[in-house]
Amino acid sequence: MKWLVYMYPKSWRRRYGNELIEVLNQTDKSFKTVIDLLLGIIDAWHIELSERDIYGYRISQALVLITLINVFIILKVNPLKEVILVEQVAMFAVLIAMLSLFLAIVTFIVSLFKFGVKEGFSLKTKLSKTSLGLMGVYAVCITTFLVLIN
């Protein structure tokens, strides 16, 4: 029955694998236990796959939205230089960029301390992905700033 533990996702096995093996050693090997394990495997994979899809989709939606807002600002503000002070909009863009850079650095440092250097530099953790997304926001806002000041 220990072989059923290896059907769980890798991240789940790292977190709960040893505990499950200990519980399996203490329980009887019945048909009900096998069914419970199979249902647990299905549930663990469902959670694993839905978290990956939903999180990546949310980050990409946020980056697309921020990019569209910045493109709209560039297209609408440049022709209206007399009506709107472009410097104020550019200042707002650079403030958002600096805030996102600060948050990206803080998130990256937290990822390094929480998961270690190897996992912190990979894109396997949500904190690393969030840090990368915030760097994307920084790049888009700085580009908007540079376009507006020229």
Side-chain angles (χ1 to χ4, degrees), residues 54-148:
I54 290 171
Y55 189 74
Y57 185 67
R58 286 182 187 159
I59 290 289
S60 65
Q61 277 183 332
L63 287 175
V64 167
L65 180 65
I66 290 169
T67 304
L68 289 176
I69 289 171
N70 284 312
V71 167
F72 179 74
I73 288 171
I74 290 170
L75 292 176
K76 292 296 179 184
V77 171
N78 269 341
L80 301 173
K81 287 185 179 181
E82 296 82 28
V83 180
I84 300 174
L85 295 174
V86 178
E87 291 82 17
Q88 289 177 346
V89 177
M91 184 183 69
F92 185 69
V94 81
L95 286 175
I96 292 173
M98 292 300 114
L99 179 65
S100 64
L101 178 64
F102 173 73
L103 290 174
I105 292 170
V106 168
T107 307
F108 180 69
I109 290 171
V110 168
S111 175
L112 287 177
F113 280 112
K114 185 173 182 180
F115 299 109
V117 174
K118 185 177 179 183
E119 290 288 320
F121 277 105
S122 72
L123 288 177
K124 295 178 182 177
T125 65
K126 288 184 181 181
L127 287 173
S128 298
K129 292 176 186 175
T130 303
S131 179
L132 185 66
L134 288 167
M135 287 302 294
V137 171
Y138 168 75
V140 168
C141 289
I142 284 295
T143 304
T144 303
F145 169 73
L146 293 174
V147 169
L148 286 175

